[in-house]
Amino acid sequence: MEGRGKIGSSHGGSNRSQARRGPSGAWNRLKPVTIDPLDAYGLPSKGDKRLYDHKTQEAYYTKIVERYMKFCASSSGGEELETALASLSLDPPKPKPTSASSSQPSNTTTTTPAGQPTTTRPSIPRHASSTDRPNDLPNILMAMRRLREGILGSRRHDAFAQRAYMFIAQAGILTRQWESYQPTLLHLVHGIHAQTPLSPLELRDFVGYMVLDLACRQGDLGGAFALRERFAHRDRRVEAVLRALVHDDWPRFWRVRRAVDGYQRALMGFAEERVRLHALKCLGRSYLSADRGFVERAADAGWEELVGSGVGWQLLESGSVVIRKPKPK
């Protein structure tokens, strides 16, 4: 009996020592999971209500601006930054050229009815960012959406909401993310401006963005003129874009595009394909042949790009482009 008692007490002591034993050393060596500060919140529209708090919104906005400025500063120049921002465009990617289109232009003999270019033209290829953090911009844009939904859901219309919406709208325009900038502009101009007025210069700029979006992306010239009259909007560059689109004046359109700022140029990009196609159709109806430089200036694109997009004209060794051949008598 005594022996059994000792044995039982021995097992009890062993169990207690095992219960006091700490976790294995291997578990202690696991690294903690690192969470991106921009991913710390979910979408308010999906049920995460934490961004309804005003202090949380302001702290989150500061992080977004910091990351966005860091992304912009990591680009070596303006052209690289514009390419990186445009890489997020919703335009469909341009397919790789076939063997016929990738050959030398002088060997291209594809013909089209009446010597006109094809009616469809893929967009200019968009390259991914070559910065140190090439995948950071989608995270930043998603964070902007979370913040925008949080501000909208909290019914905030103060100076902070105004500043945040202005920033989100301009970033969406540069990346040509119309599904981001369009609702932002609408709420900024029609909602926040009614309670926290924008300055006259700010109102002119953001109404101008809305006018250009209607005219260039949506192709609604009537709506663009109606919005301009509603706000008594006057901007000579926006006026020049509208006149060029109304009159199908592609030389004016290309000239204005080189004179506007980055936001207006990004919005004009939605109309480039229509303007270029119209210019090429006009050349196809008016000329039998033309100088290569003249064709490139009219289309505002290089010859190789035009060939890759499906233009079936023939480039001769002399530098002349055969647009269409005269009908035999």
Side-chain angles (χ1 to χ4, degrees):
M1 294 294 293
E2 293 179 359
R4 291 180 181 178
K6 291 180 180 180
I7 292 174
S9 61
S10 175
H11 278 290
S14 176
N15 292 336
R16 286 191 297 271
S17 65
Q18 290 178 357
R20 291 192 300 269
R21 183 178 300 172
S24 174
W27 292 98
N28 290 334
R29 289 195 297 270
L30 292 178
K31 296 181 179 180
V33 177
T34 302
I35 300 177
D36 191 327
L38 299 185
D39 297 333
Y41 304 99
L43 288 169
S45 59
K46 301 297 183 180
D48 192 336
K49 309 299 183 183
R50 290 177 293 173
L51 281 174
Y52 285 176
D53 180 73
H54 290 189
K55 294 295 184 182
T56 304
Q57 293 172 2
E58 295 168 8
Y60 196 52
Y61 170 77
T62 302
K63 295 176 183 177
I64 293 173
V65 173
E66 179 183 350
R67 286 278 286 275
Y68 181 79
M69 298 306 295
K70 183 178 180 181
F71 173 83
C72 295
S74 62
S75 299
S76 60
E79 293 183 359
E80 181 183 348
L81 176 59
E82 186 172 352
T83 302
L85 293 171
S87 66
L88 271 292
S89 171
L90 297 179
D91 290 345
K94 184 175 182 179
K96 294 182 179 180
T98 60
S99 57
S101 62
S102 60
S103 60
Q104 295 296 326
S106 59
N107 297 330
T108 303
T109 58
T110 307
T111 59
T112 56
Q116 297 178 10
T118 55
T119 56
T120 58
R121 183 179 186 276
S123 61
I124 298 175
R126 304 295 181 184
H127 303 285
S129 170
S130 59
T131 59
D132 295 336
R133 305 191 62 169
N135 296 324
D136 204 26
L137 189 55
N139 299 334
I140 297 172
L141 293 175
M142 178 56 68
M144 291 180 184
R145 178 185 171 184
R146 297 188 187 103
L147 177 62
R148 176 169 57 86
E149 291 186 0
I151 295 174
L152 181 65
S154 63
R155 294 182 172 85
R156 190 171 185 179
H157 299 85
D158 58 0
F160 168 77
Q162 181 190 85
R163 182 171 69 254
Y165 262 69
M166 290 168 59
F167 171 72
I168 294 172
Q170 291 178 327
I173 290 172
L174 289 179
T175 56
R176 298 183 67 182
Q177 294 277 338
W178 64 264
E179 60 181 2
S180 172
Y181 73 71
Q182 185 186 29
T184 306
L185 287 173
L186 290 174
H187 185 61
L188 175 64
V189 174
H190 298 295
I192 296 177
H193 176 64
Q195 299 189 31
T196 306
L198 296 162
S199 69
L201 181 60
E202 292 169 343
L203 183 63
R204 186 200 69 179
D205 289 343
F206 285 95
V207 171
Y209 301 154
M210 296 173 64
V211 171
L212 289 177
D213 180 68
L214 284 167
C216 297
R217 182 181 67 84
Q218 302 182 48
D220 185 4
L221 290 173
F225 279 102
L227 182 65
R228 187 195 64 168
E229 293 303 318
R230 176 181 176 182
F231 286 91
H233 180 268
R234 295 295 180 267
D235 186 327
R236 59 181 181 83
R237 292 173 296 185
V238 175
E239 294 288 333
V241 175
L242 294 179
R243 285 197 298 269
L245 293 175
V246 168
H247 297 288
D248 290 324
D249 187 350
W250 73 83
R252 180 193 294 268
F253 185 87
W254 303 135
R255 287 198 304 268
V256 174
R257 193 188 59 171
R258 290 189 288 268
V260 299
D261 60 31
Y263 305 110
Q264 295 170 329
R265 183 164 55 251
L267 291 168
M268 291 179 67
F270 288 105
E272 288 181 11
E273 303 301 328
R274 301 198 309 270
V275 174
R276 181 174 290 112
L277 181 60
H278 176 74
L280 293 174
K281 284 184 176 181
C282 290
L283 295 184
R285 296 189 188 101
S286 306
Y287 294 90
L288 295 177
S289 63
D291 182 71
R292 171 179 174 173
F294 174 72
V295 173
E296 291 179 337
R297 288 193 300 272
D300 197 55
W303 175 253
E304 289 76 12
E305 183 183 355
L306 294 175
V307 172
S309 67
V311 173
W313 301 337
Q314 182 182 6
L315 177 64
L316 303 179
E317 294 182 358
S318 61
S320 178
V321 176
V322 178
I323 298 176
R324 56 192 174 95
K325 297 179 180 180
K327 296 180 180 180
K329 295 182 180 179

